[in-house]
Amino acid sequence: FFAADCGFAPLRRLAEKALLSLRKKFYLKKENYLADFIFPDGRRNGLLRPNQIIAAALLRDFFKKSEIRNIVKAVKSKLFTPVGLRTLAPGSPGYKKVYWGNLKRRDSAYHQGTVWPWLFMFFYQLVEPDRKFFVDVWAKHLNEAGMGCFSEIFDAEKPYFARGCVHQAWTVAALLYVSFFHGWIRKR
């Protein structure tokens, strides 16, 4: 994991132990994706959430290629939408289709299905996006919720109504990152 220890051998050993533990404890062989979290008693929460796509993208050289493929397949089949990744798979306990209502109701939906576009930047590190699909969907939205901007979040199901901030920095940064990562935009 670390190319040189630079005097940090104990830190390197701790990092390697953490990475081994991540694969051993979080990868659910039956479901073929990562657990969301581990309870204090050691049980693993198997709810399908997008957090694992961040781990898989950042640590893709550490996971087996088959594990990455399985994680991507699970995320794509249940969490993928045209505008981002759902925060919880449909049909899961607590799943919310829309982000709407008073503050308490909105807060309860924030991580229970609501779509987060910025997660695409991790997803698209692991798969080759369909440029036409990506550009068409995202470019269309640039004129829907606010002129030349992209929304923070969307409802979890069609018609994926835009919610949250209209000019969300991390969403715009993710859009630009995907575009740069895949060479659609070039530095000058």
Side-chain angles (χ1 to χ4, degrees):
F1 186 68
F2 290 97
D5 69 37
C6 302
F8 294 102
L11 182 59
R12 185 184 72 232
R13 285 192 296 275
L14 186 60
E16 289 169 351
K17 185 177 178 182
L19 288 170
L20 289 172
S21 178
L22 172 72
R23 278 189 60 220
K24 181 180 177 188
K25 293 185 178 189
F26 279 84
Y27 193 79
L28 303 168
K29 291 180 182 176
K30 182 180 175 190
E31 292 85 353
N32 284 320
Y33 58 78
L34 297 178
D36 188 39
F37 63 88
I38 299 174
F39 292 97
D41 65 6
R43 289 179 298 121
R44 298 180 290 181
N45 181 299
L47 291 176
L48 181 59
R49 293 191 181 270
N51 304 334
Q52 65 189 299
I53 210 73
I54 299 170
L58 295 177
L59 302 171
R60 67 181 160 269
D61 294 334
F62 179 74
F63 286 100
K64 295 176 184 175
K65 287 185 182 0
S66 62
E67 292 170 338
I68 296 286
R69 278 192 307 273
N70 290 334
I71 290 168
V72 167
K73 183 179 179 182
V75 167
K76 189 172 184 178
S77 72
K78 299 285 185 177
L79 303 179
F80 184 90
T81 76
V83 290
L85 300 180
R86 291 181 182 100
T87 51
L88 183 63
S92 299
Y95 176 76
K96 307 278 191 238
K97 295 178 182 183
V98 296
Y99 177 84
W100 186 251
N102 62 26
L103 180 61
K104 184 177 179 181
R105 186 176 169 136
R106 289 191 321 268
D107 281 352
S108 74
Y110 209 51
H111 296 286
Q112 296 299 103
T114 298
V115 174
W116 291 76
W118 71 272
L119 293 167
F120 266 155
M121 70 185 260
F122 299 101
F123 183 77
Y124 283 134
Q125 287 179 35
L126 301 172
V127 301
E128 184 66 36
D130 176 341
R131 181 180 181 202
K132 182 172 177 10
F133 166 81
F134 184 82
V135 171
D136 286 353
V137 169
W138 284 53
K140 180 179 177 253
H141 182 68
L142 291 173
N143 294 312
E144 288 179 342
M147 187 60 91
C149 65
F150 212 86
S151 299
E152 173 189 16
I153 56 176
F154 293 82
D155 287 339
E157 297 189 10
K158 289 180 181 178
Y160 306 111
F161 193 76
R163 307 283 186 182
C165 303
V166 292
H167 283 288
Q168 181 55 269
W170 62 58
T171 301
V172 173
L175 169 65
L176 292 172
Y177 178 85
V178 169
S179 299
F180 279 112
F181 187 82
H182 290 286
W184 301 340
I185 298 175
R186 301 269 184 232
K187 282 186 169 180
R188 292 182 184 236

